[in-house]
Amino acid sequence: MPAEMIFPAQNTVGESIVWDAPNSRLLWVDIVGKTIHSLAPETGRHRSWSAPDFVTSIGLRKDGGAIVGLTREICLWDFDGPFNTFVSVEPDLPGNRLNEGVVGPDGAFWVGTMQNNIAADGSPVDILEDSGRLYRCAPDGQIMRVSEDRFGITNTLVWSDNGHLITADTLKNEIYRYNVDAATGALSGRKTIISNFKHGLPDGSTMDAEGYIWNCRVVGGSCMLRFSPEGEIDRVVDLPCSWPTSCTFGGENLDTLYVTSARFTMEPEHLEQNPQEGGLFALKVGVKGRQSHRFG
């Protein structure tokens, strides 16, 4: 089926969507809106929670709660309770913020940082340097910088079946593959596998049951890119939004691809003509996905 908007979220920056299978619902964040959303696609039931700060990512925990990235802190959150600080990231770099955050197959929460591009009032701020890094937050609270490489905007955290990490730098329009040390999580041997793809820039990704990666093409890309862990492009699927941001497979059979989107920096005239921007979309792509990993 072609992609259709299933919820008019009007997110400023919808991101970090995950499928919560036990509760048959999607969870995602609106970074600038400081809001966490849930939607049960079968019933249409929607809930939202206000966060105390810009909320940059969300993952699921094995005990049923969530792990949440705010601007500079990783928090444990039990949905209707407080956001309890678990660990602070880069306390010595006040100009940075958290961005992408995903629970890995090792049960740790992997997060990337970047120069903060959001002013206190939610308006955009120019990024002037590559100050982002990648980190691994273990279930015991130990946090480790896994690479000395610097990023403009850290995005995409996907682990291939042979143990590589697939990640991206949105500003450079590049997608990389790293070797991962199984004992420590340290990254090495970075290889650029996709560079300067003509449609938009790389944002969030997910992996399907066949081992291929689906990447949202933000900043006017208006599509999803499916590629192998070696960087072989399989297909491009168009979307009815300009800035798709994050994706996950969900539904009872994990056979629906759900996609968040953004309307950050868009002109009022464009939004008036395109009210679907910032919405939540669903599409059938002929393959199934995988369950989200859980922290702990």
Coordinates of all heavy atoms in Angstrom, one line a residue, residues 156-247:
T156 N 21.0 7.6 13.1 CA 21.0 6.2 12.8 C 21.9 5.3 13.7 O 23.1 5.6 13.7 CB 21.3 5.9 11.3 OG1 20.3 6.4 10.5 CG2 21.6 4.5 11.0
L157 N 21.3 4.4 14.3 CA 22.1 3.4 15.1 C 21.4 2.0 14.9 O 20.3 1.8 15.5 CB 22.1 3.8 16.6 CG 22.9 5.0 17.0 CD1 22.5 5.5 18.4 CD2 24.4 4.7 16.9
V158 N 22.0 1.2 14.0 CA 21.5 -0.1 13.6 C 22.6 -1.1 13.7 O 23.7 -0.8 13.2 CB 20.8 0.0 12.2 CG1 20.4 -1.4 11.8 CG2 19.6 0.9 12.2
W159 N 22.3 -2.3 14.2 CA 23.4 -3.3 14.3 C 23.1 -4.4 13.3 O 22.0 -5.0 13.3 CB 23.4 -3.9 15.7 CG 24.0 -2.9 16.7 CD1 25.3 -2.9 17.1 CD2 23.3 -1.8 17.3 NE1 25.4 -1.8 18.0 CE2 24.2 -1.1 18.1 CE3 22.0 -1.3 17.2 CZ2 23.9 0.0 18.9 CZ3 21.6 -0.2 17.9 CH2 22.6 0.5 18.7
S160 N 24.0 -4.7 12.4 CA 23.8 -5.8 11.4 C 24.0 -7.2 12.0 O 24.5 -7.3 13.1 CB 24.8 -5.6 10.2 OG 26.1 -5.9 10.7
D161 N 23.6 -8.2 11.3 CA 23.6 -9.5 11.8 C 25.0 -10.0 12.1 O 25.3 -10.9 12.9 CB 22.9 -10.5 10.8 CG 21.4 -10.3 10.8 OD1 20.9 -9.8 11.8 OD2 20.8 -10.6 9.7
N162 N 26.0 -9.5 11.4 CA 27.4 -9.9 11.6 C 28.1 -8.9 12.6 O 29.4 -9.0 12.7 CB 28.2 -10.0 10.3 CG 28.2 -8.7 9.5 OD1 27.7 -7.7 10.0 ND2 28.8 -8.7 8.4
G163 N 27.4 -8.1 13.3 CA 27.9 -7.4 14.4 C 28.4 -6.0 14.1 O 29.0 -5.3 15.0
H164 N 28.3 -5.5 12.9 CA 28.7 -4.1 12.6 C 27.6 -3.1 13.1 O 26.4 -3.5 13.2 CB 28.9 -4.0 11.1 CG 30.0 -4.7 10.5 ND1 29.9 -5.7 9.6 CD2 31.4 -4.5 10.8 CE1 31.1 -6.1 9.3 NE2 32.0 -5.5 10.0
L165 N 28.1 -1.9 13.4 CA 27.2 -0.8 13.7 C 27.1 0.0 12.4 O 28.1 0.4 11.8 CB 27.7 0.0 14.8 CG 26.9 1.3 15.1 CD1 25.5 1.0 15.7 CD2 27.6 2.3 16.0
I166 N 25.8 0.3 12.0 CA 25.5 1.3 10.9 C 25.1 2.6 11.5 O 24.2 2.6 12.3 CB 24.4 0.7 10.0 CG1 24.7 -0.7 9.6 CG2 24.3 1.6 8.8 CD1 26.0 -0.9 8.8
T167 N 25.8 3.7 11.2 CA 25.4 5.0 11.7 C 25.6 6.0 10.6 O 26.1 5.7 9.6 CB 26.2 5.3 13.0 OG1 25.7 6.4 13.6 CG2 27.7 5.4 12.7
A168 N 25.3 7.3 10.9 CA 25.3 8.3 9.9 C 25.6 9.6 10.5 O 25.5 9.9 11.7 CB 23.9 8.4 9.2
D169 N 26.1 10.5 9.6 CA 26.2 11.9 9.9 C 25.3 12.7 8.9 O 25.6 12.7 7.7 CB 27.7 12.4 9.8 CG 27.9 13.8 10.3 OD1 27.0 14.6 10.2 OD2 29.0 14.1 10.8
T170 N 24.3 13.2 9.5 CA 23.3 13.9 8.6 C 23.9 15.1 7.8 O 23.7 15.2 6.6 CB 22.1 14.4 9.5 OG1 21.5 13.3 10.2 CG2 21.1 15.1 8.6
L171 N 24.7 15.9 8.5 CA 25.3 17.1 7.8 C 26.2 16.7 6.7 O 26.3 17.4 5.7 CB 26.1 17.9 8.9 CG 25.2 18.7 9.9 CD1 26.2 19.7 10.6 CD2 24.1 19.5 9.2
K172 N 26.9 15.6 6.8 CA 27.8 15.2 5.8 C 27.2 14.4 4.7 O 27.8 14.0 3.7 CB 29.0 14.4 6.4 CG 29.9 15.2 7.3 CD 31.1 14.4 7.8 CE 32.0 15.2 8.7 NZ 31.3 15.6 9.9
N173 N 25.9 14.0 4.9 CA 25.2 13.1 3.9 C 26.0 11.8 3.7 O 26.2 11.4 2.6 CB 24.9 13.8 2.6 CG 23.9 13.0 1.8 OD1 23.2 12.1 2.2 ND2 23.7 13.5 0.5
E174 N 26.4 11.2 4.8 CA 27.2 10.0 4.8 C 26.6 8.9 5.8 O 26.2 9.3 6.9 CB 28.7 10.2 5.1 CG 29.4 11.1 4.0 CD 30.8 11.4 4.3 OE1 31.2 11.2 5.5 OE2 31.6 11.7 3.4
I175 N 26.7 7.7 5.4 CA 26.3 6.5 6.2 C 27.6 5.6 6.4 O 28.3 5.4 5.4 CB 25.1 5.8 5.7 CG1 23.9 6.7 5.6 CG2 24.8 4.5 6.5 CD1 22.7 6.0 4.9
Y176 N 27.9 5.2 7.6 CA 29.1 4.5 7.9 C 28.8 3.1 8.5 O 27.7 2.8 9.0 CB 29.9 5.3 8.9 CG 30.1 6.7 8.7 CD1 29.4 7.7 9.5 CD2 30.9 7.2 7.6 CE1 29.6 9.0 9.2 CE2 31.0 8.6 7.4 CZ 30.4 9.5 8.2 OH 30.5 10.8 7.9
R177 N 29.8 2.2 8.3 CA 29.8 0.9 9.0 C 31.0 0.8 9.9 O 32.1 1.2 9.4 CB 29.8 -0.2 8.0 CG 29.6 -1.6 8.6 CD 29.6 -2.7 7.6 NE 30.9 -2.9 7.0 CZ 31.1 -3.1 5.7 NH1 30.1 -2.9 4.8 NH2 32.3 -3.3 5.2
Y178 N 30.8 0.4 11.1 CA 31.9 0.3 12.1 C 32.0 -1.2 12.5 O 31.0 -1.9 12.6 CB 31.7 1.1 13.4 CG 32.0 2.6 13.3 CD1 31.0 3.5 13.0 CD2 33.3 3.0 13.6 CE1 31.2 4.8 12.9 CE2 33.5 4.4 13.6 CZ 32.5 5.3 13.2 OH 32.8 6.7 13.2
N179 N 33.2 -1.6 12.9 CA 33.4 -2.8 13.6 C 33.1 -2.5 15.1 O 33.5 -1.4 15.6 CB 34.9 -3.3 13.5 CG 35.3 -3.6 12.1 OD1 34.5 -4.1 11.3 ND2 36.5 -3.3 11.7
V180 N 32.5 -3.4 15.8 CA 32.2 -3.2 17.2 C 32.9 -4.3 18.1 O 32.8 -5.5 17.8 CB 30.7 -3.4 17.5 CG1 30.3 -3.1 18.9 CG2 29.9 -2.5 16.5
D181 N 33.7 -3.8 19.1 CA 34.3 -4.7 20.0 C 33.2 -5.3 20.9 O 32.5 -4.6 21.6 CB 35.3 -4.0 20.9 CG 36.1 -4.9 21.8 OD1 35.5 -5.5 22.7 OD2 37.3 -5.0 21.6
A182 N 33.0 -6.6 20.8 CA 31.9 -7.3 21.6 C 32.0 -7.1 23.1 O 31.0 -7.1 23.8 CB 31.9 -8.8 21.2
A183 N 33.3 -7.0 23.6 CA 33.4 -6.9 25.0 C 33.2 -5.5 25.6 O 32.6 -5.3 26.6 CB 34.8 -7.3 25.4
T184 N 33.6 -4.4 24.8 CA 33.6 -3.1 25.3 C 32.6 -2.2 24.6 O 32.2 -1.1 25.1 CB 35.0 -2.4 25.2 OG1 35.3 -2.3 23.9 CG2 36.0 -3.3 26.0
G185 N 32.3 -2.5 23.3 CA 31.4 -1.7 22.5 C 32.2 -0.7 21.7 O 31.7 0.1 20.9
A186 N 33.6 -0.6 21.9 CA 34.4 0.3 21.2 C 34.3 0.1 19.7 O 34.2 -1.0 19.2 CB 35.9 0.2 21.6
L187 N 34.3 1.2 18.9 CA 34.1 1.2 17.5 C 35.5 1.3 16.8 O 36.4 2.1 17.3 CB 33.2 2.3 17.0 CG 31.8 2.3 17.6 CD1 31.0 3.4 17.1 CD2 31.1 1.0 17.4
S188 N 35.6 0.7 15.6 CA 36.9 0.8 14.9 C 36.6 0.6 13.4 O 35.5 0.1 13.0 CB 37.9 -0.1 15.4 OG 37.5 -1.5 15.2
G189 N 37.6 0.9 12.6 CA 37.5 0.5 11.1 C 36.3 1.2 10.4 O 35.7 0.5 9.6
R190 N 36.1 2.5 10.6 CA 35.0 3.1 10.0 C 35.1 3.1 8.4 O 36.2 3.4 7.9 CB 34.8 4.6 10.4 CG 33.6 5.3 9.8 CD 33.3 6.6 10.4 NE 34.0 7.7 9.8 CZ 33.7 9.0 10.1 NH1 32.8 9.3 11.1 NH2 34.3 10.0 9.5
K191 N 34.0 2.7 7.8 CA 34.0 2.7 6.3 C 32.7 3.4 5.9 O 31.6 3.2 6.4 CB 33.9 1.2 5.8 CG 33.9 1.1 4.3 CD 33.9 -0.3 3.8 CE 33.8 -0.4 2.3 NZ 33.7 -1.8 1.8
T192 N 32.9 4.4 5.0 CA 31.7 5.0 4.4 C 31.1 4.1 3.4 O 31.7 3.7 2.4 CB 32.1 6.4 3.7 OG1 32.8 7.2 4.7 CG2 30.9 7.1 3.2
I193 N 29.8 3.8 3.6 CA 29.1 2.8 2.7 C 28.1 3.5 1.7 O 27.8 3.0 0.7 CB 28.4 1.7 3.4 CG1 27.4 2.2 4.4 CG2 29.5 0.8 4.1 CD1 26.6 1.1 5.1
I194 N 27.6 4.7 2.1 CA 26.7 5.5 1.2 C 27.1 7.0 1.4 O 27.2 7.4 2.6 CB 25.2 5.3 1.5 CG1 24.8 3.8 1.2 CG2 24.4 6.3 0.7 CD1 23.4 3.5 1.5
S195 N 27.3 7.7 0.3 CA 27.7 9.1 0.4 C 27.0 9.9 -0.7 O 26.9 9.4 -1.8 CB 29.2 9.2 0.2 OG 29.7 10.5 0.2
N196 N 26.5 11.0 -0.3 CA 25.9 12.0 -1.2 C 24.7 11.4 -2.0 O 24.6 11.7 -3.2 CB 27.0 12.5 -2.2 CG 28.1 13.3 -1.5 OD1 27.8 14.1 -0.6 ND2 29.3 13.0 -1.9
F197 N 23.9 10.6 -1.4 CA 22.7 10.1 -2.0 C 21.8 11.3 -2.3 O 21.7 12.2 -1.5 CB 22.0 9.1 -1.1 CG 20.7 8.5 -1.7 CD1 20.9 7.7 -2.8 CD2 19.5 8.9 -1.3 CE1 19.7 7.1 -3.4 CE2 18.3 8.3 -1.9 CZ 18.5 7.4 -2.9
K198 N 21.3 11.3 -3.5 CA 20.7 12.6 -4.1 C 19.4 13.0 -3.4 O 19.0 14.2 -3.6 CB 20.5 12.4 -5.6 CG 19.5 11.3 -5.9 CD 19.3 11.2 -7.5 CE 18.4 10.1 -7.8 NZ 18.2 9.9 -9.3
H199 N 18.7 12.1 -2.7 CA 17.5 12.5 -2.1 C 17.7 12.8 -0.6 O 17.8 11.9 0.2 CB 16.4 11.4 -2.2 CG 16.1 11.1 -3.6 ND1 15.4 12.0 -4.5 CD2 16.3 10.0 -4.4 CE1 15.2 11.5 -5.7 NE2 15.7 10.2 -5.6
G200 N 17.6 14.1 -0.2 CA 17.7 14.5 1.2 C 19.0 14.1 1.9 O 20.0 13.9 1.3
L201 N 18.9 14.0 3.2 CA 20.0 13.6 4.1 C 19.6 12.5 5.0 O 18.4 12.3 5.3 CB 20.4 14.9 4.9 CG 20.8 16.1 4.2 CD1 21.0 17.3 5.1 CD2 22.0 15.9 3.3
P202 N 20.5 11.7 5.5 CA 20.1 10.6 6.4 C 19.7 10.9 7.8 O 20.4 11.7 8.4 CB 21.4 9.7 6.4 CG 22.5 10.7 6.2 CD 22.0 11.8 5.3
D203 N 18.6 10.4 8.2 CA 18.1 10.6 9.6 C 18.0 9.2 10.2 O 18.9 8.4 10.0 CB 16.8 11.3 9.6 CG 16.5 12.1 10.9 OD1 16.8 11.5 12.0 OD2 16.0 13.2 10.9
G204 N 16.9 8.9 10.9 CA 16.8 7.6 11.6 C 16.6 6.4 10.7 O 16.1 6.5 9.6
S205 N 16.9 5.2 11.2 CA 16.8 4.0 10.5 C 16.3 2.8 11.3 O 16.3 2.9 12.5 CB 18.2 3.6 9.9 OG 18.7 4.6 9.0
T206 N 15.9 1.8 10.6 CA 15.5 0.5 11.3 C 15.9 -0.6 10.4 O 16.2 -0.4 9.2 CB 14.0 0.4 11.6 OG1 13.8 -0.6 12.5 CG2 13.2 0.2 10.3
M207 N 16.0 -1.8 10.9 CA 16.4 -3.0 10.1 C 15.3 -4.0 10.0 O 14.5 -4.2 10.9 CB 17.6 -3.7 10.8 CG 18.1 -5.0 10.1 SD 19.6 -5.6 10.7 CE 20.8 -4.5 9.9
D208 N 15.1 -4.5 8.8 CA 14.1 -5.5 8.5 C 14.5 -6.9 8.8 O 15.7 -7.2 9.0 CB 13.4 -5.3 7.2 CG 14.3 -5.6 6.0 OD1 15.2 -6.5 6.1 OD2 14.2 -5.0 4.9
A209 N 13.6 -7.9 8.6 CA 13.9 -9.3 9.0 C 14.9 -9.9 8.0 O 15.5 -10.9 8.3 CB 12.6 -10.1 9.0
E210 N 15.1 -9.3 6.8 CA 16.0 -9.8 5.8 C 17.4 -9.2 6.0 O 18.3 -9.5 5.2 CB 15.4 -9.5 4.4 CG 14.1 -10.2 4.1 CD 13.6 -9.9 2.8 OE1 14.2 -9.1 2.0 OE2 12.5 -10.5 2.4
G211 N 17.6 -8.3 7.0 CA 18.9 -7.7 7.2 C 19.2 -6.4 6.5 O 20.3 -6.0 6.5
Y212 N 18.2 -5.9 5.8 CA 18.3 -4.6 5.1 C 18.0 -3.5 6.0 O 17.1 -3.6 7.0 CB 17.5 -4.6 3.9 CG 18.1 -5.3 2.7 CD1 18.1 -6.7 2.6 CD2 18.7 -4.6 1.6 CE1 18.6 -7.4 1.6 CE2 19.2 -5.3 0.5 CZ 19.2 -6.7 0.5 OH 19.7 -7.4 -0.5
I213 N 18.5 -2.3 5.8 CA 18.3 -1.1 6.6 C 17.4 -0.2 5.8 O 17.5 0.1 4.6 CB 19.6 -0.4 6.9 CG1 20.5 -1.3 7.8 CG2 19.4 0.9 7.6 CD1 21.7 -1.9 7.1
W214 N 16.4 0.4 6.5 CA 15.5 1.4 6.0 C 15.9 2.8 6.6 O 15.8 2.9 7.8 CB 14.0 1.1 6.3 CG 13.5 -0.1 5.6 CD1 13.7 -1.4 5.9 CD2 12.8 -0.1 4.4 NE1 13.1 -2.3 5.0 CE2 12.6 -1.5 4.0 CE3 12.3 0.9 3.5 CZ2 11.9 -1.9 2.9 CZ3 11.6 0.5 2.4 CH2 11.4 -0.9 2.1
N215 N 16.2 3.7 5.8 CA 16.7 5.0 6.3 C 15.8 6.1 5.8 O 15.4 6.3 4.6 CB 18.1 5.3 5.7 CG 18.7 6.6 6.1 OD1 19.0 7.4 5.2 ND2 18.8 6.9 7.3
C216 N 15.4 7.0 6.8 CA 14.6 8.2 6.5 C 15.4 9.3 5.9 O 16.5 9.6 6.4 CB 13.9 8.7 7.8 SG 12.7 7.6 8.5
R217 N 15.0 9.9 4.8 CA 15.7 10.9 4.1 C 15.1 12.2 4.4 O 14.1 12.7 3.8 CB 15.8 10.6 2.6 CG 16.3 9.2 2.2 CD 17.8 9.0 2.7 NE 18.7 10.0 2.1 CZ 20.0 9.9 2.3 NH1 20.6 9.0 3.0 NH2 20.8 10.8 1.7
V218 N 15.7 12.9 5.4 CA 15.2 14.2 5.9 C 15.6 15.4 5.0 O 16.3 15.2 4.0 CB 15.7 14.3 7.4 CG1 17.1 14.8 7.4 CG2 14.7 15.2 8.2
V219 N 15.1 16.6 5.4 CA 15.5 17.8 4.7 C 15.1 17.7 3.2 O 16.0 17.9 2.3 CB 17.0 18.2 4.9 CG1 17.2 19.6 4.3 CG2 17.4 18.1 6.3
G220 N 13.8 17.5 2.9 CA 13.4 17.4 1.5 C 13.5 16.1 0.8 O 13.2 16.1 -0.4
G221 N 14.0 15.1 1.5 CA 14.2 13.8 0.8 C 12.9 13.1 0.4 O 12.8 12.5 -0.6
S222 N 11.9 13.3 1.3 CA 10.5 12.8 1.0 C 10.5 11.3 0.7 O 9.7 10.8 -0.1 CB 9.9 13.6 -0.2 OG 9.8 14.9 0.1
C223 N 11.4 10.5 1.3 CA 11.4 9.1 0.9 C 12.2 8.3 1.9 O 12.8 8.8 2.9 CB 12.1 8.9 -0.5 SG 13.9 9.3 -0.5
M224 N 12.1 6.9 1.8 CA 12.8 5.9 2.5 C 13.8 5.3 1.6 O 13.5 4.9 0.4 CB 11.9 4.9 3.1 CG 10.8 5.4 4.0 SD 11.3 6.0 5.6 CE 12.1 4.5 6.2
L225 N 15.0 5.1 2.0 CA 16.0 4.3 1.3 C 16.3 3.0 1.9 O 16.5 2.9 3.1 CB 17.3 5.2 1.3 CG 18.6 4.5 0.7 CD1 18.4 4.3 -0.8 CD2 19.8 5.4 0.9
R226 N 16.2 1.9 1.2 CA 16.5 0.6 1.7 C 17.8 0.1 1.1 O 18.1 0.2 -0.1 CB 15.4 -0.4 1.3 CG 15.6 -1.8 1.9 CD 14.6 -2.8 1.4 NE 14.6 -4.1 2.2 CZ 14.7 -5.3 1.7 NH1 14.9 -5.5 0.4 NH2 14.6 -6.3 2.5
F227 N 18.8 -0.3 2.0 CA 20.1 -0.7 1.5 C 20.6 -1.8 2.4 O 20.2 -2.0 3.5 CB 21.0 0.5 1.5 CG 21.3 1.1 2.9 CD1 22.4 0.7 3.6 CD2 20.5 2.1 3.4 CE1 22.7 1.3 4.9 CE2 20.7 2.7 4.7 CZ 21.8 2.2 5.4
S228 N 21.6 -2.5 1.9 CA 22.2 -3.6 2.6 C 23.3 -3.1 3.6 O 23.8 -1.9 3.4 CB 22.9 -4.6 1.6 OG 24.1 -4.0 1.1
P229 N 23.8 -3.9 4.5 CA 24.8 -3.4 5.4 C 26.2 -3.1 4.7 O 27.1 -2.5 5.2 CB 25.0 -4.6 6.4 CG 23.7 -5.3 6.4 CD 23.2 -5.1 5.0
E230 N 26.3 -3.6 3.4 CA 27.4 -3.2 2.6 C 27.3 -2.0 1.8 O 28.2 -1.5 1.1 CB 27.7 -4.4 1.7 CG 28.2 -5.7 2.3 CD 27.2 -6.4 3.1 OE1 26.0 -6.5 2.6 OE2 27.4 -6.8 4.2
G231 N 26.1 -1.4 1.9 CA 25.8 -0.1 1.2 C 25.2 -0.3 -0.2 O 25.1 0.7 -0.9
E232 N 24.8 -1.5 -0.5 CA 24.1 -1.7 -1.8 C 22.7 -1.2 -1.7 O 21.9 -1.7 -0.9 CB 24.2 -3.2 -2.2 CG 25.6 -3.7 -2.3 CD 25.6 -5.2 -2.2 OE1 24.6 -5.8 -1.7 OE2 26.7 -5.8 -2.6
I233 N 22.3 -0.2 -2.6 CA 21.0 0.3 -2.5 C 20.0 -0.6 -3.2 O 20.2 -1.0 -4.4 CB 21.0 1.7 -3.2 CG1 21.8 2.7 -2.4 CG2 19.5 2.2 -3.4 CD1 22.0 4.0 -3.0
D234 N 18.9 -0.9 -2.5 CA 17.9 -1.9 -3.0 C 16.7 -1.2 -3.6 O 16.3 -1.5 -4.7 CB 17.4 -2.8 -1.9 CG 16.3 -3.7 -2.2 OD1 16.5 -4.6 -3.0 OD2 15.1 -3.4 -1.8
R235 N 16.2 -0.1 -2.9 CA 15.1 0.6 -3.5 C 14.8 1.9 -2.7 O 15.3 2.1 -1.6 CB 13.8 -0.2 -3.5 CG 13.3 -0.7 -2.2 CD 12.0 -1.5 -2.3 NE 12.0 -2.7 -1.5 CZ 10.9 -3.2 -0.9 NH1 9.8 -2.6 -1.1 NH2 11.0 -4.3 -0.2
V236 N 14.0 2.7 -3.4 CA 13.6 4.0 -2.8 C 12.1 4.0 -2.8 O 11.5 3.7 -3.8 CB 14.2 5.2 -3.6 CG1 13.7 6.5 -3.0 CG2 15.7 5.2 -3.6
V237 N 11.5 4.4 -1.6 CA 10.1 4.4 -1.5 C 9.6 5.8 -1.1 O 10.1 6.4 -0.1 CB 9.6 3.4 -0.4 CG1 8.1 3.5 -0.2 CG2 10.0 2.0 -0.7
D238 N 8.8 6.4 -1.9 CA 8.4 7.8 -1.7 C 7.4 7.9 -0.6 O 6.6 7.0 -0.3 CB 7.7 8.4 -3.0 CG 8.7 8.5 -4.2 OD1 9.9 8.8 -3.9 OD2 8.3 8.4 -5.3
L239 N 7.4 9.1 0.1 CA 6.6 9.4 1.2 C 5.9 10.8 1.0 O 6.4 11.6 0.3 CB 7.3 9.5 2.5 CG 8.0 8.2 3.0 CD1 8.9 8.5 4.2 CD2 6.9 7.2 3.4
P240 N 4.7 11.0 1.5 CA 3.9 12.2 1.3 C 4.3 13.3 2.4 O 3.5 14.1 2.8 CB 2.5 11.8 1.5 CG 2.5 10.6 2.4 CD 3.8 9.9 2.1
C241 N 5.6 13.3 2.7 CA 6.1 14.3 3.7 C 7.5 14.7 3.3 O 8.2 13.9 2.7 CB 6.0 13.9 5.1 SG 7.0 12.4 5.4
S242 N 7.9 15.9 3.6 CA 9.2 16.4 3.2 C 10.4 15.9 4.0 O 11.4 15.6 3.5 CB 9.2 17.9 3.2 OG 8.2 18.5 2.4
W243 N 10.1 15.8 5.3 CA 11.1 15.5 6.3 C 10.8 14.2 7.1 O 10.5 14.3 8.3 CB 11.4 16.6 7.2 CG 12.1 17.8 6.7 CD1 12.0 18.3 5.4 CD2 13.0 18.7 7.4 NE1 12.8 19.4 5.3 CE2 13.4 19.7 6.5 CE3 13.4 18.7 8.7 CZ2 14.3 20.7 6.8 CZ3 14.3 19.8 9.0 CH2 14.7 20.7 8.1
P244 N 10.9 13.0 6.5 CA 10.7 11.8 7.3 C 11.9 11.7 8.3 O 13.1 12.0 7.8 CB 10.7 10.7 6.3 CG 11.4 11.2 5.1 CD 11.1 12.7 5.1
T245 N 11.7 11.3 9.5 CA 12.8 11.4 10.5 C 13.2 10.1 11.2 O 14.4 9.9 11.4 CB 12.3 12.4 11.6 OG1 11.1 12.0 12.1 CG2 12.3 13.8 11.1
S246 N 12.2 9.2 11.4 CA 12.5 8.0 12.2 C 11.5 7.0 11.8 O 10.4 7.3 11.4 CB 12.4 8.3 13.7 OG 12.7 7.1 14.4
C247 N 11.9 5.7 11.9 CA 11.0 4.6 11.4 C 11.2 3.4 12.3 O 12.2 3.1 12.9 CB 11.3 4.3 10.0 SG 13.0 3.9 9.6

